[in-house]
RNA sequence: UGGGAUGUGGCCAAGUGGUAAGGCACCAGACUUUGACUCUGGCAUUCGCAGGUUCGAACCCUGCCAUCCCAG
């Protein structure tokens, strides 16, 4: 009996090719586009319309699924809340955890389908030895998105397909051409999807109705160097936008919500050797009794760095072999062993 | 009011007769399914103002203005 796969289609090249590949492999495929938020951009060619056209060109039924409520609650509100608390959240990670592989997967299963597929560049492999589903890096290292998927549970992984995992971006574009897809050359998406103009601070202020208050930029010795435009506009390691002229570049080295100050200093002050990770999800193993060696990523576009990881419950302590720059609370830490994701979590705090 | 010092782009700052370094900031691109970082490019027809000397001045001369310091 052929499996019925719900394929998330955004209207972009990746998800369209993913759907096409599944069709070619003989799956029964239904396309689905998530309605995540009300777009105030009425330029006719919406992503949903693009996705519907793409599905139609592949001869697939297509569903538009209203996910505005969960997206608002789990992604947008949480994003704003995290920033107001002084963290620097990664909404894509949270969206994957709660909306795409939460809400949408549940929806697929509820509709009687067998699996959910997306255009993510990552691989899932069932390991006979351990009886666990493994999440692995994509074949195309430059496009690998396994970092964004560390939160997936065994249950979620067992019902998920990543048809693009073994391909490179060039392969995908070439396939799109060969399938005659109109979006073959569509530019890769970027920025936060619900903040298309990139001004996430203004978005947060509109969403919450609270204006982030100006405060002082202070140096390590307490000297006030200037006024900042609101805590949410800064993140650890940030250089641009400080407006402080000095004889050398200055970076944000800390944020203090309690007195509304932003600490700035030299780049050397940004390095940390240890960090605590919360909400840890282990994928490759059920539990870790002993400290393990792993390569740890602290941001999406970052080379994993060797470290020793000690897990206790859903908390992990990570000690890097070499100090890491601007390890930022709210971002995700993902532990790799070779190409396999051991697990991951959210960075809670760091120590020198 | 005397004495001294200084005035170069938003900030700092090289340059002391040969036709405006550099850093910071800022702007624009690139990179990127997060925020950042990074990279590339842009950014003073002009050196407080006005005269003068010179083939030629930010650099020399004169005057003025401004700021700072020290006097009382």
């Amino acid at each position: 009996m052929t499996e019925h796969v719900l394929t998330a289609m955004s209207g972009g090249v990746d998800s369209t090719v993913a759907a096409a590949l599944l069709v070619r492999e003989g799956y029964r495929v239904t396309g689905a586009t998530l309605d995540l938020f009300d777009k105030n951009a009425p330029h006719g060619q919406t992503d949903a319309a693009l996705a519907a056209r793409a599905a139609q060109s592949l001869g697939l039924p297509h569903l538009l699924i209203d996910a505005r409520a969960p997206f608002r609650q789990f992604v947008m509100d949480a994003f704003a809340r995290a920033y107001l608390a002084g963290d620097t959240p990664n909404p894509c990670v949270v969206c994957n955890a709660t909306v795409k592989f939460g809400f949408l997967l549940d929806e697929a299963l509820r509709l009687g389908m067998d699996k959910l597929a997306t255009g993510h560049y990552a691989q899932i492999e069932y390991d006979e030895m351990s009886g666990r589903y493994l999440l692995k890096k994509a074949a195309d290292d430059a496009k690998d998105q396994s970092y964004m998927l560390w939160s997936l549970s065994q249950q979620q992984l067992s019902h998920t397909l990543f048809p693009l995992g073994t391909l490179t971006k060039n392969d995908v574009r070439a396939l799109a051409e060969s399938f005659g897809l109109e979006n073959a050359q569509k530019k890769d998406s970027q920025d936060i999807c619900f903040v298309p103009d990139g001004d996430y601070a203004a978005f947060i202020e509109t969403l919450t109705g609270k204006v982030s208050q100006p405060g002082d930029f202070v140096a390590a010795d307490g000297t006030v160097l200037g006024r900042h435009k609101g805590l949410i506009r800064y993140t650890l390691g940030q250089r641009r936008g400080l407006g402080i002229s000095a004889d050398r570049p200055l970076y944000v080295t800390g944020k203090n919500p309690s007195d509304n100050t932003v600490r700035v200093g030299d780049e050397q002050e940004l390095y940390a050797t240890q960090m605590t990770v919360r909400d840890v999800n282990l994928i490759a193993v059920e539990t870790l009794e002993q400290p393990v060696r792993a390569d740890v990523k602290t941001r999406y576009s970052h080379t994993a760095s060797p470290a020793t990881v000690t897990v206790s419950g859903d908390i992990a302590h990570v000690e890097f072999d070499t100090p890491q720059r601007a390890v930022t609370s709210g971002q995700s830490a993902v532990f790799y062993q070779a190409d396999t994701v051991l697990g991951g979590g959210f960075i809670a705090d760091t120590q020198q």
Side-chain angles (χ1 to χ4, degrees):
Chain A
M1 160 132 183
T2 57
E3 287 193 305
H4 190 176
V5 180
L6 187 69
T7 303
M9 298 181 72
S10 66
V13 212
D14 292 333
S15 56
T16 307
V17 169
L21 287 173
L22 291 173
V23 170
R24 196 170 72 176
E25 286 168 34
Y27 288 98
R28 179 182 166 199
V29 178
T30 295
T33 300
L34 288 168
D35 184 9
L36 297 173
F37 50 92
D38 295 310
K39 283 122 179 146
N40 47 359
H43 41 32
Q45 195 74 316
T46 63
D47 288 351
L50 265 177
R53 288 239 309 264
Q56 188 181 32
S57 72
L58 296 173
L60 305 177
H62 178 258
L63 308 172
L64 180 62
I65 297 177
D66 181 4
R68 287 174 299 178
F71 191 76
R72 165 75 191 235
Q73 178 186 352
F74 297 120
V75 182
M76 301 199 323
D77 286 349
F79 174 77
R81 214 177 315 118
Y83 257 112
L84 292 176
D87 278 356
T88 304
N90 182 334
C92 295
V93 167
V94 177
C95 175
N96 285 332
T98 61
V99 177
K100 288 182 181 163
F101 299 95
F103 175 81
L104 181 60
L105 176 56
D106 289 347
E107 195 66 9
L109 298 178
R110 194 181 64 76
L111 291 170
M113 302 191 202
D114 303 293
K115 288 191 168 156
L116 171 69
T118 70
H120 281 102
Y121 286 84
Q123 306 190 59
I124 296 171
E125 203 175 282
Y126 181 70
D127 180 47
E128 300 281 352
M129 290 286 289
S130 61
R132 295 184 71 81
Y133 287 88
L134 304 181
L135 175 65
K136 307 185 89 165
K137 284 185 186 173
D140 185 347
D141 210 53
K143 292 299 294 182
D144 173 51
Q145 292 171 324
S146 59
Y147 173 85
M148 301 290 189
L149 301 165
W150 62 263
S151 72
L152 298 189
S153 67
Q154 287 296 301
Q155 194 269 344
Q156 289 167 319
L157 289 168
S158 71
H159 289 288
T160 299
L161 296 175
F162 294 138
L164 307 185
T166 57
L167 306 174
T168 66
K169 185 75 192 194
N170 284 338
D171 293 338
V172 170
R173 290 213 186 270
L175 282 167
E177 295 283 2
S178 74
F179 293 144
L181 302 179
E182 62 176 322
N183 57 16
Q185 294 308 322
K186 189 168 183 279
K187 202 174 180 324
D188 287 9
S189 62
Q190 54 189 298
D191 292 332
I192 301 171
C193 70
F194 52 89
V195 189
D197 69 354
D199 191 350
Y200 70 86
F203 168 83
I204 291 170
E205 293 182 337
T206 303
L207 184 74
T208 62
K210 291 181 196 159
V211 176
S212 189
Q213 294 303 314
D216 288 332
F217 279 123
V218 296
D221 65 3
T223 312
V224 175
L225 297 177
R227 296 286 290 173
H228 73 241
K229 294 187 285 227
L231 223 55
I232 63 172
R233 288 182 165 72
Y234 308 91
T235 187
L236 216 58
Q238 181 173 334
R239 170 181 177 177
R240 314 203 70 170
L242 304 186
I244 304 170
S245 48
D247 55 353
R248 61 194 190 283
L250 293 176
Y251 298 85
V252 171
T253 55
K255 295 181 11 173
N256 189 346
S258 67
D259 64 2
N260 195 35
T261 58
V262 172
R263 193 155 52 85
V264 298
D266 291 314
E267 186 162 31
Q268 302 87 276
E269 295 171 42
L270 288 168
Y271 287 82
T273 315
Q274 304 177 52
M275 66 177 173
T276 304
V277 179
R278 63 180 164 83
D279 298 323
V280 170
N281 177 53
L282 293 176
I283 295 177
V285 294
E286 168 107 40
T287 56
L288 279 177
E289 307 298 341
Q290 300 293 322
V292 293
R293 297 286 297 162
D295 295 314
V296 179
K297 257 178 127 163
T298 54
R299 53 169 50 67
Y300 176 60
S301 49
H302 177 240
T303 309
S305 194
T308 299
V309 179
T310 309
V311 176
S312 160
D314 67 348
I315 300 289
H317 179 78
V318 178
E319 179 150 7
F320 289 100
D321 293 3
T322 56
Q324 300 297 300
R325 183 186 185 282
V327 177
T328 309
S329 67
Q331 291 287 293
S332 290
V334 180
F335 321 137
Y336 289 89
Q337 286 184 326
D339 288 339
T340 300
V341 174
L342 180 63
F346 293 112
I347 297 166
D349 61 72
T350 63
Q351 301 86 40
Q352 290 294 307

